[in-house]
Amino acid sequence: MTALAHVPHLPTKPLVGHTLDFLRDPYGLHQRSRAQLGAVYKVNLLGAWRVTLGGADALEFILGDTSGLFSSYNGWDMLHGLFPGGLMLRDGADHRTHRRIMQTAFRKPALDAYRVSMEAALEQLLHAWPLNQPFAFFPAIKRLTLQMGAQVFMGLPLDDPRSAPLNAAFAAEVAASIAPIRRPLPGTAMRRGLNARRYLIETFAAMIPERKANPGPDFFSQMCVAEDEDGRGWTPEEITDHFNFLMMAAHDTTASSLTKVAWALATYPEWQEAVRAEVDALGAGRLDDAALARLEVTDRVFREALRLLPPLAFIPRRATRAFDWQGHSFPAGTQVSALPGLVQIDPAHWTAPDRFDPDRFAPGRHEDRSHKYAWAPFGGGAHKCIGLHFATLQVKLFTALLMRRSRLSLASDRPVTWARVPIAQPKGGLPVVLHGR
């Protein structure tokens, strides 16, 4: 604390610092801090002081780091016990090596296979959704993405009985990642999260021998046989660690992203009609690459939804050595937060930033190009999300198939509010109604 005494902060509460304020309203905490203290301040979260550097330039400085100044592994210290070995929790040459291997599972032939599998799964799963009666969209999409993920990522049948315990285990891991009590005491979220990790690792490990011998088109098989250009693959421990993290990240961020798009379509019916019109223009054929590329309005709606509600609004790093920023000096070991969520609503880069306006991404405006990091919902630099193209593919497929089948409306006049951490999700589950076409 002495080394950071010169960095201002808002008043803290005993024992918990700013943690409860952050969990209750993370944007509000940071907006108050910046308004009162300026672009450089600190907050106390989960027992540690974290320095915040505000603005798009700071985002580029932190995420675009090429000199090894900021460690992702040490920034995500709250995940070490739950997701050790995940790609996001690696740095430097080790991260580059593992990313090169994983990249083989995201190349175009693999994405084409995933797309075919996802389209068939989505058609079947969406057919089971109720028409003309209210239901909570967020839990429904979480179930759907897990069922679809079990097929696309793991090669399991859609009705596989393991889906329910897998979903519960992923949820327990995520809850443990932000639990205020960091020790696995009996009855705590951390204990439940670590037990869930053990179950998941054992489940994945049991699948490896068969997938190495008879790999299929699913993502897990591709990870089991993946190699870099030098022929280096992964050990069984590395496969399970990577897959555990990837499944959690893909499942939660995809469910969150699809929910944001659904919220946008239901809340702004004029944009839903524009999306439906371009989907109808595709005809009834398969949604191949050429068809999905024509969904330009859908893409803008998706980008605007992620601008307002990014998957990760706050990205932590830890300094590996001393550094200076805007007249402030910081020692090695300083925990630093990057804030893409707040940059994406900064009036310095966005016209009327609180307004839902997908045309800000249209040709002739391109407000996202006002700064390299004005729009960064997938992060940036060496750790930019490896699955961003897969995520966009999945969102376009889902939206097109949903619009072919139904219209979407909100089931309540009550304003939709959002929990921002650990991953954005609507409070109350987003009650909606699907109206058959």
Side-chain angles (χ1 to χ4, degrees):
M1 174 62 179
T2 303
L4 298 176
H6 63 293
V7 183
H9 66 86
L10 295 181
T12 60
K13 293 181 174 65
L15 300 177
V16 298
H18 298 111
T19 301
L20 297 181
D21 292 331
F22 180 80
L23 294 176
R24 187 180 302 112
D25 183 8
Y27 274 35
L29 172 64
H30 281 281
Q31 287 169 328
R32 290 193 304 275
S33 295
R34 181 159 188 177
Q36 297 180 37
L37 307 172
V40 178
Y41 55 88
K42 64 190 176 193
V43 296
N44 189 288
L45 300 177
L46 300 175
W49 285 103
R50 301 173 189 271
V51 169
T52 295
L53 310 180
D57 288 342
L59 204 57
E60 182 172 13
F61 175 60
I62 298 169
L63 300 185
D65 168 44
T66 59
S67 66
L69 173 58
F70 296 110
S71 167
S72 182
Y73 170 78
N74 288 316
W76 290 102
D77 57 321
M78 72 291 291
L79 301 183
H80 287 179
L82 297 161
F83 303 104
L87 190 63
M88 192 172 71
L89 276 70
R90 294 177 181 270
D91 290 318
D94 174 65
H95 172 262
R96 289 191 293 273
T97 296
H98 282 261
R99 190 178 176 100
R100 280 198 300 270
I101 298 172
M102 187 175 288
Q103 193 66 56
T104 64
F106 285 102
R107 289 176 181 161
K108 190 176 187 309
L111 288 175
D112 288 343
Y114 304 152
R115 186 194 69 243
V116 172
S117 180
M118 280 193 295
E119 185 173 3
L122 278 169
E123 286 180 331
Q124 181 177 340
L125 292 168
L126 282 174
H127 186 73
W129 276 17
L131 292 176
N132 304 314
Q133 58 180 297
F135 69 99
F137 185 91
F138 185 63
I141 199 65
K142 281 180 71 70
R143 288 192 297 271
L144 182 148
T145 54
L146 185 69
Q147 288 175 290
M148 185 171 61
Q151 176 174 304
V152 175
F153 281 85
M154 300 177 68
L156 302 177
L158 287 176
D159 58 354
D160 193 283
R162 283 171 285 186
S163 290
L166 284 171
N167 191 19
F170 290 132
E173 283 189 312
V174 172
S177 70
I178 60 166
I181 300 174
R182 306 308 297 164
R183 295 178 61 192
L185 301 174
T188 62
M190 182 58 72
R191 170 70 71 90
R192 291 189 292 272
L194 291 173
N195 288 340
R197 169 182 163 75
R198 189 177 305 110
Y199 162 74
L200 290 167
I201 293 298
E202 290 172 355
T203 300
F204 302 148
M207 297 167 55
I208 292 176
E210 190 274 331
R211 297 305 173 86
K212 279 185 172 288
N214 300 290
D218 58 278
F219 195 93
F220 188 72
S221 291
Q222 296 303 305
M223 290 183 71
C224 288
V225 299
E227 296 179 342
D228 64 14
E229 60 272 16
D230 298 321
R232 183 190 184 282
W234 285 323
T235 67
E237 292 76 15
E238 289 172 333
I239 292 171
T240 55
D241 279 341
H242 277 304
F243 196 66
N244 180 48
F245 175 77
L246 186 75
M247 277 293 286
M248 180 281 297
H251 170 51
D252 265 42
T253 58
T254 299
S256 175
S257 296
L258 292 173
T259 302
K260 295 161 196 169
V261 171
W263 160 80
L265 296 176
T267 304
Y268 303 97
E270 69 276 18
W271 284 103
Q272 182 173 172
E273 291 308 313
V275 168
R276 179 177 293 103
E278 72 170 6
V279 169
D280 287 348
L282 298 178
R286 286 291 159 195
L287 296 168
D288 58 14
D289 281 349
L292 294 179
R294 292 166 58 190
L295 298 181
E296 297 176 1
V297 176
T298 304
D299 186 67
R300 294 203 299 273
V301 168
F302 176 44
R303 290 165 69 85
E304 178 70 343
L306 287 191
R307 182 187 71 84
L308 291 169
L309 296 158
L312 289 176
F314 311 93
I315 300 177
R317 294 287 188 266
R318 180 176 289 184
T320 60
R321 58 185 183 272
F323 70 98
D324 295 325
W325 176 254
Q326 292 187 349
H328 297 267
S329 295
F330 303 96
T334 298
Q335 300 226 42
V336 177
S337 293
L339 306 181
L342 294 183
V343 171
Q344 290 179 182
I345 56 172
D346 189 337
H349 306 289
W350 307 95
T351 303
D354 294 331
R355 187 176 68 218
F356 184 82
D357 180 11
D359 278 342
R360 66 177 78 248
F361 294 94
R365 287 182 65 182
H366 282 305
E367 293 183 8
D368 53 312
R369 299 182 185 177
S370 62
H371 189 287
K372 184 178 180 180
Y373 280 80
W375 189 80
F378 295 103
H383 283 87
K384 189 171 185 177
C385 177
I386 196 170
L388 66 93
H389 297 300
F390 176 82
T392 303
L393 166 68
Q394 198 169 27
V395 167
K396 285 186 173 183
L397 270 174
F398 172 84
T399 304
L401 292 172
L402 183 69
M403 291 294 97
R404 279 179 172 178
R405 180 173 183 259
S406 59
R407 291 184 300 105
L408 183 67
S409 66
L410 296 175
S412 169
D413 294 333
R414 218 173 290 156
V416 179
T417 57
W418 295 80
R420 302 281 187 168
V421 291
I423 293 175
Q425 58 183 273
K427 297 177 182 178
L430 189 67
V432 299
V433 177
L434 294 182
H435 308 273
R437 295 190 63 183

